Amino acid sequence: QVQLVESGGGSVQTGGSLTLSCAVSGSIFAVGNMAWYRQAPGSQRELVARITAEGTNYADSVKGRFTVSKDSAKRVGYLQMNSLKTEDTAAYYCNADVWVTEVTPSNSWGQGTQVTVSS
């Protein structure tokens, strides 16, 4: 069974930084595309950043401040968040395309980690 476990959330002041991690565990062949989403209370879940074989893309609201990366060998994804703003406060979720076998794809979500930015 594939599991995604996020870590690194917490409380910071505006202008601070946090790095979120997403560890993929289970009996899998490989990890493919990874993405980070966030959901604030009363809002829909939104895409924050994605990393694929072709590159990375970001929501306009985080461009220049957030950096998405992954270590395929370690099966860990990262979201480096700098210059945090109060509007970045949300639960952050990791999503990954996982190859369970060479020909069996799957998509999984993590349980989420809370990021709170205060002024």
Side-chain angles (χ1 to χ4, degrees):
Q1 185 175 353
V2 180
Q3 278 194 315
L4 273 60
V5 179
E6 299 104 332
S7 60
S11 297
V12 295
Q13 292 190 321
T14 54
S17 298
L18 284 173
T19 299
L20 305 183
S21 299
C22 174
V24 183
S25 64
S27 179
I28 62 174
F29 178 73
V31 178
N33 303 333
M34 297 186 78
W36 290 91
Y37 290 75
R38 68 185 180 188
Q39 186 168 19
S43 299
Q44 290 189 328
R45 190 171 296 190
E46 62 173 352
L47 176 66
V48 175
R50 176 187 285 123
I51 182 166
T52 71
E54 288 72 40
T56 58
N57 53 70
Y58 299 89
D60 288 343
S61 59
V62 307
K63 281 181 181 176
R65 301 187 297 122
F66 290 12
T67 303
V68 62
S69 62
K70 72 173 185 176
D71 185 326
S72 296
K74 295 182 178 179
R75 298 176 176 177
V76 180
Y78 303 96
L79 184 67
Q80 172 69 42
M81 306 184 294
N82 298 324
S83 302
L84 283 162
K85 305 175 181 180
T86 55
E87 51 263 45
D88 294 319
T89 296
Y92 283 71
Y93 298 88
C94 176
N95 178 269
D97 293 324
V98 177
W99 292 96
V100 180
T101 69
E102 289 182 71
V103 296
T104 308
S106 178
N107 184 270
S108 297
W109 288 90
Q111 82 289 350
T113 185
Q114 179 67 34
V115 172
T116 303
V117 185
S118 58
S119 58

